[in-house]
Amino acid sequence: MKREAVLIIDFGGQYNQLIARRVREHHVYCELKPYTVSLEDIRAFDPIGIIFTGGPNSVYAPGAPQVDPAIFDLGVPILGICYGCQLMAHHLGGQVTPAQSDTAREYGKTHTYFDTNCKLFKDLPAESVTWMSHGDHMAKVPEGFALAAHSDSCPNVAICDEARGFYGVQYHPEVNHTEYGAQMLRNFLYEVCGAHGAWTMGDYKNTAIAAIREKVGGGKVLLALSGGVDSSVAAALLAEAVGSQLTCVFVDHGLMRKNEGDEVQAAFDPWPIHFIRVNAEKRFLDKLAGVTEPERKRKIIGEEFIRVFEDEAKKIGAVDFLVQGTIYPDVVESGAGDAAVIKSHHNVGGLPDTVDFKEIIEPLRLLFKDEVRQLGRELGLPEYLVTRQPFPGPGLAIRVIGDITREKLDTLREADFIFRDEVAKAHLEGTMDQYFAVLTNMRSVGVMGDGRTYDYTLALRSVTTSDFMTADWTRIPYEVLDAVSTRIVNSVPGINRVVYDITAKPPATVEWE
Ligand code: XMP
């Protein structure tokens, strides 16, 4: 069977990687290339279909991104989205103009009517909601095109030339707000381009491994492993690609959850890599002794992490490549460009500038979180690592309020473990995006047996969120909270009271410090 690849031509829209992700979801391989891609490169890529993305410009503006018009003679189906649709119309003899009035501009959810005879809308409802974000209009539809969808304010929301396989939509099928957007993209891939959908995450893995091997050659590779999903998946991928040349440095700062350090180590044992676990607990706890101010704690940990990593890197000697587990949302959140550097500091407490390496490898840079998890499974990482909830770089240091001692950390570890265990028993993990225990610095009077106690109050925190920028507290069933509380006060010495944090973010944050 012919290799099936879709080329996505990037005109600078904000959802472009999302289009790529949607195509992958339909099991079709795709690549995103800038609009400056040459016709020879497009021919060499040999796509079964081309998608023009949206973009911030107006097609008639001076210097607006263009394509070589010969692209329309390749005999390859094209789907133009928003700017891409207008560009296609502009090149093929249509006319694009600014909206006549503010009311004619379309932003947001729009009720849209479809011609379901058009292949793009085959088997879909004749009316549904689309997500619009455009100020320009097609005043004249190019010759050979038929109108395929309209809204109350716009007669040509979608156009199609079925004979040539050209389709244009003014809305964004890739975003979730467009009700049947995924199916429309699927129709383009399967009904128009004739895809069979044989591509899998396993193929992604193989392609990524081949690319890493080619780049790294015989060079030495270093990776700072935090035990989080992203760095673990990056490590597994590199291990598979260039195992014997890879050194993973796992700085165990003694601020991990119960058994976490051992779990991370065990997960990487089967790979033929050089795995260094630096047991730096004493170093970190000594530096943190008596420190109560949250920002101080974070700074100390970030700084100490750099020192430990630097010491290990020096021992290893000249390293050619440094691997980072940057994923696509990190790139977006930090802004393009130097995003990788920004995130690495956030992720692992900062990597030293002084470590001598030639290049940074970011093999997950184009993947979304759930795709990273899928790749992790493909690589054989254990499920508990792949589905791990986020865990902050400074670890339990910011969940022990006030000064940190080994004893308090152990108390918290035990209580946190019980919370997670009870959540697992109740099969509630899917409803909670992050959940953990916090050892408050407050003590109160209690009664245990016949005696008085004066022990710490433990807080439970659980949030439900999609992006961690805002979050709601999870409505955990009372009986689960009851089981957690009872088990903790009965089995963890030093805790005589358990409370549940019912504050959203904002005004609170997810972590207490
Ligand atoms: P906040 O407390 O800011 O947390 O609402 C939002 C998310 O970020 C995580 N977090 C961190 N992650 N290094 C990290 O890698 C950090 O220093 C850090 N601080 C907070 C937090 O666990 C939550 O998922």
Side-chain angles (χ1 to χ4, degrees):
M1 194 167 65
K2 179 177 180 278
R3 160 185 162 279
E4 289 179 350
V6 164
L7 177 64
I8 302 173
I9 300 190
D10 186 348
F11 292 100
Q14 52 182 322
Y15 306 121
N16 296 351
Q17 282 295 349
L18 194 54
I19 302 174
R21 182 237 162 89
R22 295 278 176 252
V23 173
R24 293 196 293 264
E25 272 174 358
H26 290 306
H27 302 291
V28 177
Y29 177 76
C30 66
E31 279 186 31
L32 189 77
K33 291 186 190 281
Y35 68 90
T36 48
V37 60
S38 71
L39 209 59
E40 297 85 79
D41 284 349
I42 296 176
R43 280 207 190 90
F45 187 73
D46 192 20
I48 58 166
I50 296 173
I51 297 177
F52 292 172
T53 75
N57 300 73
S58 289
V59 289
Y60 45 78
Q66 298 295 334
V67 279
D68 184 336
I71 197 169
F72 298 105
D73 299 324
L74 291 175
V76 178
I78 299 176
L79 170 64
I81 295 174
C82 200
Y83 180 85
C85 170
Q86 290 151 10
L87 187 74
M88 181 153 60
H90 181 68
H91 272 289
L92 296 176
Q95 201 186 354
V96 179
T97 57
Q100 293 302 315
S101 65
D102 279 351
T103 50
R105 290 167 191 270
E106 291 191 292
Y107 290 103
K109 291 184 177 176
T110 308
H111 203 83
T112 309
Y113 309 89
F114 300 93
D115 175 358
T116 54
N117 292 316
C118 170
K119 276 188 190 162
L120 212 53
F121 310 122
K122 187 172 170 243
D123 298 331
L124 299 180
E127 292 180 28
S128 62
V129 169
T130 61
W131 176 259
M132 300 277 187
S133 176
H134 66 102
D136 288 346
H137 270 244
M138 270 180 293
K140 181 171 156 250
V141 170
E143 209 160 305
F145 279 78
L147 296 179
H150 68 276
S151 68
D152 292 329
S153 61
C154 176
N156 43 30
V157 166
I159 55 171
C160 65
D161 177 344
E162 305 256 19
R164 288 190 285 178
F166 293 161
Y167 298 81
V169 293
Q170 299 266 30
Y171 57 88
H172 289 273
E174 69 277 20
V175 305
N176 279 332
H177 301 306
T178 295
E179 274 178 348
Y180 295 93
Q183 289 90 329
M184 292 167 193
L185 287 171
R186 184 186 165 84
N187 278 345
F188 177 68
L189 299 170
Y190 286 74
E191 300 294 327
V192 178
C193 304
H196 293 83
W199 183 86
T200 62
M201 198 39 97
D203 296 325
Y204 183 94
K205 181 186 86 174
N206 294 334
T207 311
I209 286 174
I212 290 167
R213 284 188 181 144
E214 189 179 331
K215 176 175 258 193
V216 167
K220 269 200 218 174
V221 186
L222 185 65
L223 185 145
L225 189 65
S226 70
V229 179
D230 304 342
S231 70
S232 296
V233 173
L237 188 64
L238 265 291
E240 190 88 21
V242 289
S244 60
Q245 295 149 252
L246 174 67
T247 302
C248 287
V249 178
F250 168 46
V251 178
D252 186 345
H253 48 23
L255 305 165
M256 311 287 278
R257 288 166 293 194
K258 187 176 175 180
N259 302 333
E260 201 162 22
D262 294 344
E263 284 172 6
V264 172
Q265 184 165 2
F268 287 92
D269 264 352
W271 267 290
I273 60 171
H274 190 204
F275 182 93
I276 300 175
R277 175 174 176 178
V278 189
N279 288 318
E281 182 186 41
K282 184 164 179 341
R283 250 176 107 154
F284 278 86
L285 294 195
D286 284 352
K287 281 265 155 59
L288 287 167
V291 178
T292 55
E293 210 274 310
E295 276 312 298
R296 276 291 300 140
K297 290 183 183 175
R298 284 172 177 274
K299 293 229 167 65
I300 289 170
I301 293 164
E303 176 80 22
E304 197 58 18
F305 186 93
I306 294 177
R307 299 285 88 84
V308 177
F309 188 78
E310 225 164 26
D311 290 351
E312 293 306 314
K314 270 191 212 123
K315 286 186 210 157
I316 296 159
V319 172
D320 302 285
F321 300 92
L322 184 76
V323 183
Q324 301 202 346
T326 317
I327 72 170
Y328 186 64
D330 305 335
V331 179
V332 176
E333 276 161 26
S334 315
D338 56 353
V341 179
I342 294 164
K343 180 63 186 181
S344 74
H345 285 238
H346 179 67
N347 244 352
V348 293
L351 292 176
D353 300 330
T354 47
V355 176
D356 209 9
F357 54 84
K358 276 200 299 217
E359 218 180 307
I360 292 182
I361 301 179
E362 294 177 310
L364 312 178
R365 200 180 164 81
L366 299 179
L367 299 184
F368 289 77
K369 191 79 173 187
D370 55 324
E371 292 182 307
V372 172
R373 295 190 205 276
Q374 226 180 312
L375 180 60
R377 289 189 187 101
E378 202 61 52
L379 286 157
L381 281 178
E383 199 59 24
Y384 65 80
L385 259 191
V386 168
T387 53
R388 181 156 276 190
Q389 53 168 316
F391 186 63
L396 299 185
I398 55 169
R399 294 179 182 171
V400 169
I401 310 305
D403 70 315
I404 301 162
T405 63
R406 170 75 198 264
E407 197 187 356
K408 283 185 182 173
L409 286 167
D410 283 342
T411 302
L412 175 59
R413 263 190 275 268
E414 214 41 55
D416 182 74
F417 175 78
I418 291 173
F419 185 24
R420 286 187 288 136
D421 191 46
E422 290 296 329
V423 166
K425 277 193 202 154
H427 305 291
L428 283 178
E429 295 106 319
T431 62
M432 305 159 72
D433 293 298
Q434 193 173 9
Y435 51 103
F436 52 88
V438 176
L439 188 65
T440 75
N441 207 16
M442 191 192 78
R443 292 203 283 172
S444 68
V445 176
V447 53
M448 188 79 93
D450 290 329
R452 175 189 191 268
T453 59
Y454 187 58
D455 285 332
Y456 285 107
T457 297
L458 183 95
L460 304 175
R461 178 76 163 140
S462 172
V463 293
T464 304
T465 173
S466 57
D467 57 9
F468 294 92
M469 307 293 280
T470 61
D472 198 3
W473 58 278
T474 313
R475 270 55 173 179
I476 298 179
Y478 284 168
E479 51 284 10
V480 178
L481 286 173
D482 184 31
V484 176
S485 168
T486 306
R487 194 171 147 195
I488 287 174
V489 289
N490 282 330
S491 63
V492 185
I495 297 174
N496 67 353
R497 196 178 289 268
V498 175
V499 298
Y500 185 45
D501 179 351
I502 53 165
T503 330
K505 172 185 178 178
T509 53
V510 175
E511 303 289 347
W512 276 36
E513 287 195 337

